[in-house]
Amino acid sequence: QVNPAVSGGGSVQAGGTLKLSCVFGGFTYSNRCVGWFRQAPGKEREGFASISTERDSPTYANSVKGRFTVSTDNAEKTVYLEMNNLQPEDTAMYYCQATPKDYSESPCPFLSDDDYHYRSQGTQVTVSS
C-alpha cells in the first residue's frame, strides 16, 4: 500500500471533538510533509494544516487555527488531527496527503494536490448545530 489510510471521522454536535488518524503503512514516512485537506459539497478543496514528519512545526490555516492540532507518532508512522470546538462549517470529507519528495532540508510546501501527491481515502466529518 502506497497511499496513507485515514480513519476517525463521524458525526458530532457543534462544540464537539473528533480525532482523525492517518497511517502510513508501506509509504516512505521519513522526512516527508503531511497535509490535511477537506472538501465540502459545492465548495473548493481546502488544505488547512501541514506538518513535517521530522520537525514538530505544524502550520494551520486561519479557518482552523486554535481549534485543530496536528501531531505525529513516528514510531507508529501515524499523523493525527485533533479537532476541537467543531462547527457546522467544518462539515466536509477529510483527507490526509503526503509529499513523495524528501523535505528534510526545506520547509513544507504550500498545500496543493501537486506537492502532496499521495492521498488517503476520505473520511466524513459531519457537525450539526
Side-chain angles (χ1 to χ4, degrees):
Q1 175 185 344
V2 174
N3 292 347
V6 67
S7 61
S11 297
V12 297
Q13 292 191 327
T17 295
L18 284 174
K19 188 172 184 177
L20 307 185
S21 299
C22 179
V23 180
F24 294 78
F27 184 78
T28 301
Y29 178 81
S30 297
N31 297 317
R32 296 313 191 258
C33 292
V34 177
W36 288 93
F37 294 71
R38 64 185 180 183
Q39 187 163 23
K43 294 188 177 181
E44 288 192 0
R45 190 173 176 78
E46 177 190 20
F48 60 86
S50 66
I51 191 168
S52 163
T53 59
E54 301 304 316
R55 301 185 299 271
D56 188 13
S57 55
T59 61
Y60 303 95
N62 288 336
S63 58
V64 305
K65 193 175 294 184
R67 301 187 299 122
F68 291 10
T69 302
V70 180
S71 61
T72 62
D73 182 339
N74 291 347
E76 298 296 327
K77 297 175 67 175
T78 301
V79 177
Y80 299 101
L81 174 67
E82 182 168 347
M83 304 181 290
N84 298 310
N85 190 22
L86 282 160
Q87 300 299 315
E89 54 266 33
D90 295 315
T91 295
M93 190 72 77
Y94 283 68
Y95 305 84
C96 65
Q97 301 181 204
T99 60
K101 182 181 173 183
D102 185 317
Y103 279 92
S104 58
E105 301 296 327
S106 53
C108 288
F110 176 78
L111 286 159
S112 72
D113 287 333
D114 285 343
D115 284 317
Y116 293 79
H117 178 72
Y118 292 111
R119 183 192 299 189
S120 70
Q121 85 286 9
T123 187
Q124 178 68 37
V125 171
T126 302
V127 186
S128 57
S129 57

